[in-house]
Amino acid sequence: MDAKVDEMSKAYQELVAAAQAILEARRQPGGENTAAMDAAREAFKQRRKLFAVACDDADALVQSARQSIVSDPGRFVDVVTTPDEDSVRSPTRSSAESSSSSGFGALPDEVLRHILLRLPSAAAAARTSLISRRWRNLWSTLLPKLRFPGVTDLARVGAALRLRVAPVRLLRIESSDRAPDKIVAVLHLAAPLLEGKLCFDVITPAAAAAGAAGTGGAIQIPCFEKATEITIRLRGRLGIQLPPSGVFAKLTALSLSHCRFDDQGQRDLGDAVSSEGCPSLRELRIRDADVVSNLAIRSDSLRLVQLSRLEGIRQLTISAPALTELDLYACLLWGMPMVDIFAPALETLHWVDFFSSSSVRFDEKPNVHRLSVYGMVYGRRNTPGSLQLVQHFTEARDVHLSLVYPSIMDMSCELLVQAVKKLPAVEILSLRLLTIGHTFGPCVYHLLKMSTGIRELKLKLEDHIADGEVPCSSGCVCYEPQAWKKNNISLNFLQKVEINNLSGAERQIYFVKRLLRWTMPELKTITLSFDPSVTVSEKVSRKLLSFSTPGICMGIYLHRNGTRVKYSAAN
């Protein structure tokens, strides 16, 4: 191995000398256009090739060392499971040391580091301690990232962390061990070591998670004073207690999910993630959790807040003057909670949740540019949704609407989107339509006639019908009103259209025909993509092409043998 390192070092020095020769030749009279310069360049090319060969040879040796460590577990004892120092002084270890005296044990420090970095887990890195005395605990000093995938007993992770003497830049743990005392022990051992990112994922089978939801002791999270990012997922909604004191001074991103926040005592969730507890926090994500009834987040540093499927909220307060993006999903559907938001710098708002102007207040209306909301297309008045927000933020230029058709519709259902009388000055309009077999023409027509200034239109259709459901007939309420079939719209600025997940149904084909009539002559491109599960006939493809004109570039994309391909007419 030493010979390989010497060879690589020599090749590098010769490469540097060749580069210096080029610089010297350039300083001579004539500069670039001399025989000396040509010779220097040719010499540099040769030295570069030789250096590359030396590097490849050294890399091959490193890979061989790595493979030996990973693929020969019988040779290397797992020190994570070794109870004490005496037990590792075994014949197995002595044999390994003697056999490696002329091999792995003689590797230079830099090569050792490269080998350790390429090992798949911390357990594999720990096994290198059995190669020789020189390797002993090298993994705990040279390895900046520790990965523990597929852990069944967290006690082993705790044993490994006790051996650690150097800071950890990344700690990634994936475990099926749900014992709260072991989780707490690992977190408390990791807290003083971590100076980077923590990813802790407790994996639990679905059945076990359902049976264990809301049970077990609470997990007390210590204060990670030097951590920069923390992600904790506790399947089965294990309880969490945040530290009653301490500051996460360097934490910039926090993600907590699949848990419940038990009685917090001195400091609740809102206090812990606010400026006093996390002064540098920029990104906060909380998902699938049971939270306190009054959640108040006050932060001067937050830029992003994502709250998804939180249960128990009765009052939500967010005061974040630097916040630029807020995502709220299924947190306000029960109990009519009061919401108070102060985020004057907000630019992006995803509100897939209940909205009522009587219970939701923006203390200072921000200048939102990108807006995502959802609503039911048909139903009865006062059906929950957030479509009203499109009339609240009039400056939004990029608007995304998720529109859902009810599975059961009768003649008492109304076209609820007609309650929206005005859209912002939209330039990009994206519509996700969960039609369940219903026609979407009246809905889209109503929205487009209020969006005559749009430049880009995106439609994503989800037309799937569950087993046992019958597609609607021509007498269904979804066909009313029929003004979209008769009246025209002047979409004079629309230049690009994308329609995805087409099924080839006649109502969809007819809509494309009407849309092209509304958009001419400014439309430049239209892309039509069929659902991967659909077999599209030549007749349907040709019919769509016949709607286009020479000034429009139409692309039709089908799926054949699992591959997305562009349709090309036979003739």
Side-chain angles (χ1 to χ4, degrees), residues 424-496:
V426 184
E427 294 181 0
I428 301 175
L429 179 62
S430 301
L431 303 177
R432 177 172 175 249
L433 303 169
L434 286 74
T435 62
I436 318 180
H438 294 285
T439 184
F440 54 86
C443 170
V444 178
Y445 170 80
H446 176 75
L447 296 172
L448 289 180
K449 72 180 182 180
M450 296 185 292
S451 311
T452 55
I454 62 170
R455 301 179 182 275
E456 186 174 341
L457 174 65
K458 302 177 182 179
L459 269 65
K460 182 178 181 181
L461 308 176
E462 298 188 12
D463 199 22
H464 304 296
I465 301 174
D467 294 338
E469 291 184 340
V470 179
C472 70
S473 63
S474 58
C476 180
V477 67
C478 71
Y479 283 86
E480 299 295 337
Q482 302 212 8
W484 71 283
K485 293 184 177 181
K486 305 173 184 177
N487 300 338
N488 286 326
I489 309 173
S490 297
L491 301 176
N492 295 328
F493 299 95
L494 186 59
Q495 298 182 5
K496 182 179 179 181

Side-chain angles (χ1 to χ4, degrees), residues 322-374:
L323 191 68
T324 58
E325 180 174 345
L326 172 62
D327 295 5
L328 206 62
Y329 178 81
C331 297
L332 313 175
L333 299 181
W334 298 274
M336 296 286 291
M338 300 299 296
V339 180
D340 197 348
I341 297 174
F342 174 73
L346 195 65
E347 298 176 355
T348 300
L349 177 61
H350 302 283
W351 194 290
V352 185
D353 215 321
F354 177 77
F355 174 82
S356 171
S357 56
S358 61
S359 60
V360 179
R361 183 180 68 173
F362 287 85
D363 288 353
E364 183 176 324
K365 190 171 75 171
N367 188 17
V368 172
H369 298 296
R370 191 166 187 263
L371 176 66
S372 297
V373 298
Y374 99 104

